[in-house]
């Protein structure tokens, strides 16, 4: 709870406290006068604590632990807990006879009765004043202090929720959730069974505990579970064959569980109790005629008495075996079965009636462990082997169904119950046996009520002795449409921690004599256990009375279970061991609950947005005597209470407390109206999802809607689910704001409006796409068969009063209905803004939020009209072109069927039809058409001077043509429409700012992607980059189909400037790569060209050829010592002076070149030391030359091509022999 000062209104109109007992016409709540507003209240059996603004704590009632101090204070005169004066308290809690407080720094203070250690202070039986209690983590060194967020107190125990969202417990009893038999627990200890989970809230009954836990992420939820019990080593998943079907069950009861004690450690006679690994889940099997049989575990165990079982008690020599065959026995049985051949007459094929099972819409499959998977696989393998050998002679007469019923129903007795009970006193065993008998008698009713609540992990498979038809295998092999989860897995990522989680679970533990744990039995639980039937209910708040429990969902429903001695459950005259809905009139939306000793208090929305109170349970009539009580089995409206705008209710003992606000400036009323409207809207969305969307998804699978419509329907369902989930989260956030801060700063829709705007945009787009493609029309026929000829439900949900409206139109109106809520957002935000000064920050925030939601509402309204206009256009459009042009996101803007626009210079008998969509301009001629993408379309008005033509010049990358309008007005209309469409198309690609819709015309320079279809040089190539007036201009990339890629700058549609060009070589399977300058579409200037052959040229280019000075490296040793030519090039050939170092011939040439040949004067130096200087012609040595050898011998004369000297030696070195020459 936030203790900060309220900024919107003065504190005098906030947090007034009203208290009373029971309800009747004579009961009048009394107001408790305090100097500061009350932020939170907590009630014990005969006392209560109050947290007021500023962090102070008051107490009232009976205080026997005060000893010599004041031991009793009337409820109208609370006393200040002075021991907490130096602390700023943020949360308080009250148990039966003790209290707790949490300070701003996360510290815990406890006081009151401490006989069972519930105050966490050793050596004290009572704690008269608030005293600090250290919550330390012993796993750290030194022990780290745990910061606490909130407390919950029972009769003999206390729970703390830490900042890490873990649970810590101290006191006595199995309700602590600690695996121990020694009580009391003086020091707070972590409840390890909830470690690793994100706990949102804790609540304590007298002897039981509740925790609201966020569901695990999908990755963690899919982790494999253990195959065997960690204590008795028995299989957790078992399988048994029952005549014509096989039952796979995950119900296992361990006789070696930890001891359970209802008394302190000093009490004798501690006895063990049964600890289960799963909820006592109900069973459903399929009979031979297809009827569903409801059975209990005892029925199943009785049916399986043919197999031998050895059951031992605790401490006995024998150990209890599973009531079902173990894995080895099943495998042996399957092997034996597969080796057996059965022969029977095959009935006619038309007499077969095979049904395969489907998952319920929106329900995800249960993740089972490897043991269960192995059992199913073993069963399937054996059956498949048998089918392969006998499928031609065998068939299946029976229906095969696989059910996924609800989880968390009443359990039957565990297998081998009489012999499975632990050894203990006779009274304990009799009590357990009686509880089992009671469950047998009421199991049928509980099972039927929870049939559709979720998923069961008990499967019924076809009997191993049954015959399987090949048709079944063929049908099972058909591809199935992937199921669409109607609840976003993991919630909305963008919402993060901003909004409350709706994917929650309720865990309970402690005593269960009254069924207050909700697991379908009256057994105690030593460790927290999930109430599985509430896992899909979106529980956001739990409350615990003395012996009953409550769970409040986001859909404003209240589930109650446990003791119903005074009718406190609000739904029947007997107790229930599983959660059931409280009986409330239709339209009553509860948003806060309180649970006392034998009564329940509900806070709900009223007709005028002023909250109303409902009461059920014990009626206290003090006027008739202190012990006069009556019962109220259904919630009664407290119509005589006029408390104002109630923000929260609390209950405890026989008392009730309500916190209310006065509506002086209208701010409180507007805040309540906003929250109530959101709760009502979410209930509406949920109703549509459950009663309309789920059946439609089912119809889409069973009827052939076409692949496009099926995919779009699934997309619509996903977007609807996201919107519904976000609305539920926002509803829970606004409700929490009413209970706590009640200010503008905590409104998520203001600080993070983009989450809402994006979700609505996405949803509207999905509805429009489905409408444009004729999805609603395709659903009309199957919907008519499902909803009947009088779809009153659709009309009521769509809020349509028209008669004889087509079913498709009803569906369209229904799915566009959420868009209206944006106007409601704007209206209520504006109403809140009127409560503030115009120059205040809060007023500005509310005004900005109102503007955003109103602008989006108008925008989505226009998009709906565009979608409807487009749908009706496609109905009249020629069918041949519809398939190629009709796309889900494409919307019609205008078209020229009325001859308002024609093509200039067109033939007399030609037909030219121009259709403007939001992404393209289409030119249709008879049976042909051409599409001009808007992103690469430019339109210019042609001046009308000296002409009577109203022309528009249209420029595309490969065509330019002129359109003639019939009038100046029509010309202006088309010019505006095309420019706006182009601008919006660019905005959709994220290229324009928020003011894109206000521009008179789109920018002439833009970024777009286009695939050429006519240009010979660029045909079928795709360009992506900058454009200017229909031509690539600026930086961009061109990709050809043959693998060529150019990345660089363009000018007037041609490569110009610096660019990178890659061209694949088909023969070498490598690429040529040029990097350098370009001019007018050709390589021109300095660049580097890497050839696929390994050659590398660095130098000048001109007209795609080497021209000018350059260096060419070549040869097989390119990386270390390549052959290199450095010199002049002309038109891709060596021409002029150049130096060529040829490593293949071991020589270097320096001289003149022409057309890649040595031509003219040159010099050659070889690796053997020879030096030649002379003339070359056509790459050959000719004429007079000079040869200098390594020994300084000089030769002069005529040389031939093979270095043969045709002259005389003009000079010899000393010592040389002339005869050698």
């Amino acid at each position: 709870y936030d203790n900060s000062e309220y900024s919107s209104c003065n504190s005098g109109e906030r947090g007034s406290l009203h208290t009373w007992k029971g309800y009747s016409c004579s009961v009048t709540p009394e107001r408790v006068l305090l100097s500061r507003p009350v932020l939170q209240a907590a009630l014990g059996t005969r006392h209560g604590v109050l947290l007021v603004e500023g962090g102070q704590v008051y107490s009232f009632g009976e205080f026997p632990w005060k000893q010599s101090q004041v031991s009793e204070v009337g409820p109208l005169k609370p006393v200040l807990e002075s021991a907490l004066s130096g602390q700023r308290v943020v949360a308080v809690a009250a148990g039966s006879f003790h209290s707790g407080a949490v300070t701003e720094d996360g510290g815990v203070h406890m006081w009151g009765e401490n006989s069972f250690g519930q105050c966490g202070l050793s050596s004290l039986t009572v704690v008269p004043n608030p005293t600090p209690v250290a919550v330390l983590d012993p796993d750290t060194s030194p022990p780290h202090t745990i910061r606490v967020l909130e407390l919950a107190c029972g009769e003999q125990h206390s729970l703390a929720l830490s900042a890490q969202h873990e649970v810590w417990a101290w006191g006595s009893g199995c309700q602590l959730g600690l695996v121990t038999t020694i009580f009391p627990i003086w020091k707070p200890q972590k409840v390890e069974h909830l470690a690793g989970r994100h706990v949102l809230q804790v609540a304590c009954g007298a002897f039981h505990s509740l925790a609201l836990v966020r569901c695990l992420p999908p990755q963690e939820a899919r982790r494999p579970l253990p195959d065997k019990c960690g204590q008795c080593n028995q299989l957790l998943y078992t399988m048994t064959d029952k005549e014509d079907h096989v039952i796979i069950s995950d119900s296992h009861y361990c006789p070696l569980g930890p001891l359970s004690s209802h008394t302190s450690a000093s009490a004798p006679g501690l006895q063990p109790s049964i600890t289960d690994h799963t909820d006592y889940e109900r069973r459903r099997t399929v009979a031979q005629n297809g009827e569903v049989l409801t059975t209990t575990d005892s029925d199943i165990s009785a049916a399986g008495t043919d197999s031998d079982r050895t059951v031992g008690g605790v401490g006995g020599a024998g150990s209890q075996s599973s009531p079902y065959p173990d894995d080895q026995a099943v495998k042996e049985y399957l092997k034996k079965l597969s080796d057996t051949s059965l022969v029977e007459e095959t009935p006619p094929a038309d007499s077969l009636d095979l049904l395969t099972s489907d998952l319920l819409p929106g329900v995800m499959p249960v993740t089972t462990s490897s043991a269960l998977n192995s059992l199913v696989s073993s069963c399937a393998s054996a059956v498949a082997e048998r089918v392969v050998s006998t499928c031609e002679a065998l068939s299946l007469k029976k229906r095969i169904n696989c059910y996924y019923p609800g989880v968390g129903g009443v359990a039957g007795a565990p297998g081998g119950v009489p012999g499975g009970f632990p050894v203990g006193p006779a009274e304990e065993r009799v009590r357990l046996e009686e509880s089992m008998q009671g469950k047998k008698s009421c199991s049928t009713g509980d099972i039927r009520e929870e049939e559709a609540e979720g998923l069961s992990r008990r499967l019924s498979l076809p009997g191993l002795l049954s015959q399987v038809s090949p048709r079944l295998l063929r049908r099972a092999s058909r591809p199935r449409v992937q199921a669409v989860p109607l609840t976003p897995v993991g919630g909305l990522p963008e919402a993060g921690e901003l909004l409350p989680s709706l994917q929650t679970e309720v865990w309970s533990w402690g005593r269960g004599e009254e069924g207050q744990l909700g697991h379908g039995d009256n057994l105690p639980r030593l460790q927290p256990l999930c109430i599985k039937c509430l896992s899909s209910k979106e529980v956001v708040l739990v409350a615990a009375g003395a012996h009953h429990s409550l769970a409040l969902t986001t859909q404003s429903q209240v589930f109650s279970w446990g003791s119903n001695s005074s009718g406190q459950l609000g739904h029947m005259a007997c107790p229930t061991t599983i959660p059931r809905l409280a009986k409330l009139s239709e339209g009553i939306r509860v948003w806060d609950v309180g649970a006392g000793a034998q009564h329940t208090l509900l806070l709900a929305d009223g007709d005028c947005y002023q909250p109303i109170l409902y009461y059920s349970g014990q009626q206290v009539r003090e006027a008739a005597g202190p012990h006069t009580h009556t019962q109220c089995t259904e919630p009664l409206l407290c119509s005589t209470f006029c408390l104002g705008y109630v923000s929260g209710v609390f209950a405890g003992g026989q008392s009730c407390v309500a916190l209310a606000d006065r509506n002086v400036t209208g701010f409180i009323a507007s805040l309540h109206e906003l929250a109530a409207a959101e709760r009502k809207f979410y209930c509406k969305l949920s109703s549509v999802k459950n009663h309309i969307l789920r059946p439609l998804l089912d119809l889409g699978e069973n009827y052939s809607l076409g692949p496009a419509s099926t995919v779009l329907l699934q997309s619509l369902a996903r977007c609807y689910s996201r919107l519904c989930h976000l609305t539920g989260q926002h509803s829970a956030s606004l409700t929490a704001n009413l209970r706590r801060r009640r200010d503008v700063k905590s409104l998520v829709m203001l600080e993070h409006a983009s989450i809402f705007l994006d979700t609505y945009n996405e949803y509207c787009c999905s509805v429009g796409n489905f409408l444009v493609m004729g999805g609603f029309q395709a659903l009309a026929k199957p919907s008519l068969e499902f909803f009947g000829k009088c779809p009153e439900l659709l009309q009521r949900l769509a809020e349509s009063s028209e008669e004889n409206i087509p079913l498709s139109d009803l569906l369209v109106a229904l799915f566009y209905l959420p868009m209206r809520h944006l106007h409601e957002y704007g209206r209520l935000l504006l109403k809140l803004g009127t409560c503030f000064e115009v120059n205040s920050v809060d007023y500005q925030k509310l005004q900005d939020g109102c503007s955003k939601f109103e602008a989006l509402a108008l925008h989505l309204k226009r998009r709906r009209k565009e979608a409807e206009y487009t749908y009706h256009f496609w109905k009249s459009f020629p069918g041949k072109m519809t398939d190629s042009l009709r796309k889900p996101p494409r919307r019609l803007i205008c078209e020229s069927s009325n001859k308002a626009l024609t093509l200039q210079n067109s033939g007399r008998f030609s037909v030219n039809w121009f259709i403007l969509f939001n992404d393209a301009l289409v030119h249709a001629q008879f049976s042909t058409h051409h599409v001009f993408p808007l992103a690469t379309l430019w339109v210019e008005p042609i001046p009308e001077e000296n002409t009577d033509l109203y022309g528009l010049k249209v420029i595309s990358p490969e065509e330019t043509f002129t359109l003639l309008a019939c009038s100046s007005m029509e010309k202006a209309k088309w010019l505006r429409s095309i420019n706006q469409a182009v601008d919006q198309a660019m905005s959709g690609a994220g290229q324009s700012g928020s003011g894109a819709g206000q521009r008179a015309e789109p920018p002439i320079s833009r970024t777009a992607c286009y695939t050429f279809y006519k240009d010979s040089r660029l045909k079928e190539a795709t360009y992506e980059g900058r454009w200017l007036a229909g031509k690539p201009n600026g930086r961009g990339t061109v990709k050809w189909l043959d693998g060529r890629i150019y990345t660089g700058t363009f000018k007037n549609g041609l490569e110009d400037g610096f660019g990178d060009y890659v061209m694949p070589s088909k023969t070498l399977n490598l690429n040529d790569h040029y990097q350098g300058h370009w001019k007018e579409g050709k390589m021109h200037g300095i660049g580097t060209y890497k050839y696929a052959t390994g050659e590398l040229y660095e130098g000048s280019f001109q007209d795609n050829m080497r021209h000018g000075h350059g260096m060419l490296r070549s040869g097989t040793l390119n990386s270390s010592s390549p052959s290199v030519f450095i010199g002049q090039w002309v038109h891709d050939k060596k021409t002029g002076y150049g130096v060529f170092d040829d490593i293949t011939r071991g020589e270097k040439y320096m001289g003149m070149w022409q057309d890649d040949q040595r031509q003219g004067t040159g010099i050659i130096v070889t690796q053997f030391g020879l030096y030649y200087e002379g003339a070359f012609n056509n790459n050959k040595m000719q004429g007079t030359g000079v040869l200098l050898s390594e020994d300084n011998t000089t030769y002069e004369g005529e040389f031939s091509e093979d270095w043969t000297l045709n002259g005389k030696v003009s000079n010899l070195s000393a010592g040389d022999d002339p005869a050698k020459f």
Side-chain angles (χ1 to χ4, degrees), residues 72 136 180 370 388 524 719 745 767 832 835 1060 1145 1188 1205:
E72 182 176 356
L136 302 175
T180 182
S370 59
V388 170
C719 294
K745 297 178 182 178
V767 178
L832 281 170
C835 304
D1060 190 281
R1145 300 180 61 178
L1188 178 63
L1205 180 63

Side-chain angles (χ1 to χ4, degrees), residues 232-287:
C232 65
N233 204 33
Q234 294 295 319
L235 289 174
L236 298 179
Y237 300 93
T238 56
M239 181 175 68
T240 185
D241 183 20
K242 286 187 57 87
E243 298 179 357
D244 63 338
H245 57 271
V246 177
I247 299 174
I248 297 177
S249 176
D250 66 346
S251 181
H252 169 72
Y253 303 93
C254 177
L256 304 179
L259 299 179
S260 171
S261 174
H262 299 333
T263 59
S264 61
S266 59
L270 296 177
Q271 300 297 336
S273 65
I274 296 175
T275 302
D276 64 330
H277 293 271
T278 62
D279 294 340
Y280 295 73
E281 301 175 357
R282 68 185 58 80
R283 315 305 185 221
R284 293 179 63 186
T285 61
V286 180

Side-chain angles (χ1 to χ4, degrees), residues 792-814:
E792 293 83 3
L793 175 63
L794 274 176
Q795 286 186 322
R796 178 173 57 85
L797 292 176
E799 300 178 5
S800 174
S801 57
E802 299 182 27
E803 296 183 1
N804 300 324
I805 183 172
L807 194 59
S808 58
D809 293 347
L810 265 181
L811 291 173
V812 171
L814 178 66

Side-chain angles (χ1 to χ4, degrees), residues 510-734:
R511 296 189 193 177
E513 296 93 339
E514 303 289 343
Q516 62 265 48
L517 299 186
H519 299 303
D521 58 77
N522 301 96
L523 299 178
R525 295 295 191 281
L526 293 144
Q527 294 181 345
L529 193 63
C530 179
I531 306 176
K532 295 181 181 177
C533 64
L534 292 177
S535 296
S536 61
K537 299 302 182 184
E538 299 179 348
V539 177
V540 292
L541 183 68
V542 292
H547 304 290
H548 73 289
S549 305
L550 305 175
L552 175 65
T553 70
T554 316
Q555 299 182 31
S556 301
Q557 296 175 323
V558 178
F559 288 87
S560 59
W561 63 98
S563 173
N564 202 23
S565 58
S566 300
Q568 58 264 44
L569 298 185
H571 49 62
M572 60 170 49
C574 61
T576 177
T577 57
I578 58 173
R580 298 178 186 270
L581 279 175
K583 291 184 178 179
L584 291 167
S585 302
E586 185 178 358
I588 300 300
R589 293 176 294 278
V590 179
W591 55 274
D592 198 11
V593 296
Q598 298 182 47
H599 68 281
T600 296
L601 192 60
L602 308 178
L603 181 62
D605 291 327
D607 295 335
C608 59
Y609 302 110
Q610 186 167 340
I612 55 179
L613 293 170
Y614 282 85
Y615 181 95
S616 64
Q618 187 181 71
Q619 300 285 12
V620 181
R621 301 179 183 274
E622 297 183 352
H627 302 290
T628 303
H629 305 290
T630 59
Q631 297 182 3
C632 173
T633 58
E634 293 186 8
L636 294 179
L637 174 63
C638 302
S639 57
T640 60
F641 291 3
C642 298
L643 305 180
Y645 286 87
V646 179
S647 61
V649 292
F650 307 89
Q654 297 181 355
S655 302
C656 301
V657 164
L659 299 182
D661 302 321
R662 295 171 55 201
N663 184 38
V664 176
T665 63
F667 174 78
I668 294 297
S670 301
L671 206 59
H672 275 268
E673 185 177 358
L674 175 62
E678 196 74 349
R679 287 190 289 267
K680 181 179 181 180
F681 181 54
Y682 179 64
C683 292
K684 179 70 170 291
L685 292 180
S686 299
S687 182
V688 172
K689 181 176 72 174
N690 295 327
H691 297 102
I692 305 299
L693 191 55
R694 289 184 191 275
L696 288 180
L697 281 174
D698 207 16
L699 292 175
E701 293 183 6
N702 296 331
Y703 288 82
S704 178
L705 300 180
S709 295
T710 301
V711 172
L712 291 175
L713 178 60
Q714 293 179 345
S715 175
L716 170 61
R718 281 190 290 267
C719 294
Y720 186 92
S721 300
R722 286 173 59 86
L723 175 62
C724 184
H725 194 80
L726 176 64
T727 305
Q729 288 183 293
H730 190 221
S731 169
S733 176
L734 292 175

Side-chain angles (χ1 to χ4, degrees), residues 1132-1144:
D1132 218 27
K1133 296 182 179 180
K1134 306 181 188 74
T1135 301
Y1137 180 79
V1139 177
F1140 182 58
D1141 188 356
D1142 189 354
I1143 65 170
T1144 58

Side-chain angles (χ1 to χ4, degrees), residues 262-549:
H262 299 333
T263 59
S264 61
S266 59
L270 296 177
Q271 300 297 336
S273 65
I274 296 175
T275 302
D276 64 330
H277 293 271
T278 62
D279 294 340
Y280 295 73
E281 301 175 357
R282 68 185 58 80
R283 315 305 185 221
R284 293 179 63 186
T285 61
V286 180
Q288 182 172 350
N289 59 359
E291 295 178 354
V292 177
L293 303 180
T294 57
T295 61
T296 62
D297 284 335
S298 58
D299 299 330
I300 296 171
S301 62
T305 53
D306 296 340
S307 59
D308 296 336
R309 297 172 186 148
T310 304
V311 180
V314 175
S319 60
Q320 179 184 4
S321 65
S322 171
Y324 305 108
D326 59 12
D327 197 8
Q328 184 62 30
V330 170
K331 291 180 179 178
E332 293 177 357
Y333 174 71
L334 292 174
K335 185 176 184 300
K336 179 180 178 182
L337 176 65
S338 63
D339 295 336
T340 306
S341 61
L342 298 178
V343 180
E344 66 177 39
E345 183 180 354
T346 304
D350 56 358
S351 66
L352 299 178
D353 187 9
L354 301 177
L355 297 177
T356 55
S357 61
D358 296 334
L359 286 177
L360 294 175
V363 176
M364 302 300 293
V366 174
T367 302
T368 57
S369 72
S370 59
L372 180 58
N373 291 334
S374 64
L375 287 177
V376 176
S377 300
S378 300
C379 175
S381 300
V383 174
E385 291 175 3
R386 180 164 184 76
V387 167
V388 170
S389 60
T390 61
C391 63
E392 295 182 358
L394 301 180
S395 61
L396 183 64
K397 298 179 181 179
K398 305 175 181 65
R399 298 173 182 263
I400 301 174
N401 291 294
C402 178
Y403 288 89
Y404 295 84
V407 180
V410 171
V417 168
F421 283 135
V423 179
E427 295 79 8
E428 182 72 11
R429 297 183 59 180
V430 169
R431 184 184 66 81
L432 292 176
E433 290 177 359
E434 288 177 350
S435 67
M436 294 301 171
Q437 294 297 328
K439 286 191 289 295
K440 291 180 183 179
S441 63
C442 65
S443 61
T444 302
D446 289 342
I447 290 171
R448 288 176 178 173
E449 179 180 354
E450 295 295 323
E451 280 180 353
E453 290 298 328
L455 303 176
S456 174
R457 298 193 301 181
R458 181 184 179 89
L459 308 178
S460 179
L461 299 177
L464 298 182
L465 295 177
S466 301
Q467 296 81 28
V468 182
S469 166
R471 269 180 60 192
L472 176 61
L473 300 181
R474 289 196 299 268
R475 293 193 61 177
S477 64
R478 293 177 185 172
R480 297 188 58 82
V481 179
Q482 184 178 3
V484 179
L486 291 185
T487 299
V489 179
L492 300 179
E494 60 270 23
E497 297 293 332
L498 300 174
L499 296 170
S501 174
L502 302 187
Q503 296 177 338
T504 58
E505 301 171 336
V506 179
W507 293 60
S508 64
W509 63 99
R511 296 189 193 177
E513 296 93 339
E514 303 289 343
Q516 62 265 48
L517 299 186
H519 299 303
D521 58 77
N522 301 96
L523 299 178
R525 295 295 191 281
L526 293 144
Q527 294 181 345
L529 193 63
C530 179
I531 306 176
K532 295 181 181 177
C533 64
L534 292 177
S535 296
S536 61
K537 299 302 182 184
E538 299 179 348
V539 177
V540 292
L541 183 68
V542 292
H547 304 290
H548 73 289
S549 305

Side-chain angles (χ1 to χ4, degrees), residues 878-947:
K880 294 183 179 180
M881 289 186 285
T882 300
D883 295 338
S884 60
L885 292 179
R886 194 174 191 176
K887 296 181 180 179
R890 180 167 284 174
R891 301 291 184 270
L892 176 66
I893 297 176
C894 57
E895 47 88 22
S896 65
S897 60
N898 58 355
K899 309 296 182 181
L901 200 67
T902 59
L903 182 66
Q904 188 180 35
N905 300 325
S906 60
R908 179 179 179 183
F909 299 103
S910 63
V911 176
N912 296 279
W913 188 11
F914 293 92
I915 312 166
L916 180 61
F917 293 102
N918 62 334
D919 63 336
L921 175 66
V922 177
H923 179 202
Q925 293 177 300
F926 294 104
S927 60
T928 63
H929 66 276
H930 184 70
V931 179
F932 299 95
L934 292 184
T936 54
L937 196 70
W938 287 258
V939 58
E940 301 173 357
I942 299 177
E944 301 173 9
E945 292 84 358
N946 302 324
T947 64

